[in-house]
Amino acid sequence: MTSITQTDLSFDQQHIWHPYSSMISPPSMYPVVSAEGVRIKLEDGRELIDGMASWWSVIHGYNHPELNQAAHGQIDKMSHVMFGGITHQPAIELARQLVEMTPENLDKVFLADSGSVAVEVAIKMAIQYWHARRAHEGKANTKHKLLTIRNGYHGDTFGAMSVCDPVNGMHEIFTEVLPQHFFAPAPRTGFNEDWDESDCAELKRLFEAHHEEIAALILEPIVQGAGGMRFYSPEYLKTARQLCDEYDVLLIADEIATGFARSGALFACDHAGIAPDIMCLGKAITGGI
Ligand SMILES: Cc1ncc(COP(=O)(O)O)c(C=O)c1O
């Protein structure tokens, strides 16, 4: 592979819009040549420690021999086939492991291509669930909205943006075009603090007042990640599960950042001993491959 030249870097600066950067006054980028373990090696020989593991995806480190071997082995057979009407052993094996690892009630897997798309799919599933159930019951379906908590982050696509915090969720300028959902205040009681029941008061009120309109409650269990790494009380999550059961609302746990032991337990929901109805996974599941 040829090395990156000054011409390449100025092309990058003029033509490539990097995530969360300005297009009109773009910052210069650090040219990377390789990565190993926690370290990213730059063109000039300097090394960076990637303390955020590539936005929390590379949990086993870069250039991991087992992951590399698996990727090479697979690409020599087929890089990809569509999933409509056909299946293959790697997909079946992945789904089998996910069904085994996740709580007992979660026994169906839908594969998506990113965390944001997983959230889109989860929202669609919840809405479709009520559509089908109400049709089966011969009733009109009124459950088209979502309930979520402030300070959350669920991705950058439109459905996901609509349940991110309207102010610090980075999507404020899109407010006018996003579907409007219900927002409860962010949990206040910290992970190890004494539980204060009043933390759930507004959440309860929203359930009471609007459950006929709400298809699902979506939240990041235990850790609000992009919103500031806020660890909140498992009691909040337990209460949220109870309210979902009491008011016939589905619970979507966005474990895209927390899944696969990122909060200490295998899944953040395990801290509260609860199981969601739909769980979104991402990031660590790829190991960055
Ligand atoms: C909790 C949560 N949900 C969803 C996403 C979106 O995932 P992706 O960047 O793969 O679209 C993120 C990304 O940071 C996340 O932290």
Side-chain angles (χ1 to χ4, degrees):
M1 199 173 54
T2 55
S3 53
I4 303 177
T5 62
Q6 268 314 319
T7 314
D8 293 332
L9 285 177
S10 74
F11 178 90
D12 183 298
Q13 196 166 26
Q14 281 167 38
H15 299 287
I16 306 180
W17 193 354
H18 288 262
Y20 304 110
S21 69
S22 164
M23 188 190 68
I24 48 176
S25 55
S28 52
M29 294 289 148
Y30 294 95
V32 173
V33 286
S34 62
E36 179 82 36
V38 298
R39 290 171 191 276
I40 292 177
K41 193 165 183 188
L42 300 183
E43 178 80 42
D44 63 8
R46 280 182 299 165
E47 285 187 343
L48 310 177
I49 292 176
D50 183 359
M52 66 190 297
S54 216
W55 266 315
W56 323 325
S57 305
V58 185
I59 61 163
H60 306 290
Y62 292 104
N63 215 7
H64 193 285
E66 270 181 62
L67 296 186
N68 285 0
Q69 200 186 7
H72 284 297
Q74 183 55 46
I75 211 157
D76 289 341
K77 289 186 210 139
M78 61 181 175
S79 59
H80 167 259
V81 289
M82 66 176 183
F83 213 38
I86 48 184
T87 194
H88 46 80
Q89 188 58 29
I92 294 169
E93 194 45 41
L94 171 63
R96 186 175 277 136
Q97 289 194 29
L98 289 173
V99 168
E100 272 169 24
M101 290 173 99
T102 51
E104 220 171 300
N105 61 319
L106 299 179
D107 61 0
K108 298 267 194 283
V109 177
F110 187 96
L111 300 174
D113 54 293
S114 69
S116 301
V117 175
V119 170
E120 299 289 330
V121 171
I123 292 172
K124 285 176 73 179
M125 272 179 191
I127 289 169
Q128 186 172 341
Y129 170 84
W130 287 110
H131 175 82
R133 194 170 135 181
R134 290 295 191 244
H136 181 70
E137 293 165 349
K139 292 184 193 158
N141 179 26
T142 53
K143 284 167 152 329
H144 307 299
K145 292 215 172 269
L146 298 162
L147 170 59
T148 188
I149 53 181
R150 284 190 184 267
N151 213 53
Y153 177 78
H154 298 283
D156 289 353
T157 50
F158 269 78
M161 284 199 293
S162 72
V163 285
C164 290
D165 186 283
V167 180
N168 80 2
M170 300 183 276
H171 310 304
E172 205 180 344
I173 62 163
F174 297 100
T175 307
E176 300 300 317
V177 287
L178 294 175
Q180 298 301 302
H181 296 303
F182 296 107
F183 284 83
R188 276 177 287 114
T189 313
F191 186 74
N192 283 321
E193 288 172 11
D194 289 339
W195 172 234
D196 174 1
E197 258 183 56
S198 69
D199 219 356
C200 280
E202 179 60 10
L203 185 72
K204 276 188 191 154
R205 195 197 64 76
L206 288 167
F207 267 101
E208 266 163 28
H210 299 289
H211 62 276
E212 288 297 350
E213 296 156 75
I214 298 171
L217 166 65
I218 178 166
L219 45 71
E220 294 160 277
I222 303 296
V223 190
Q224 294 194 295
M229 291 297 160
R230 298 179 74 250
F231 281 62
Y232 65 85
S233 171
E235 294 301 321
Y236 188 98
L237 200 53
K238 276 189 209 164
T239 310
R241 175 71 269 181
Q242 281 160 11
L243 289 167
C244 285
D245 291 340
E246 189 181 337
Y247 288 102
D248 238 356
V249 166
L250 298 177
L251 177 61
I252 304 173
D254 178 350
E255 294 251 13
I256 287 159
T258 48
F260 307 102
R262 306 320 292 150
S263 71
L266 184 56
F267 297 105
C269 284
D270 298 346
H271 290 290
I274 62 116
D277 300 297
I278 301 173
M279 182 186 272
C280 301
L281 298 171
K283 297 200 180 282
I285 201 174
T286 68
I289 298 264

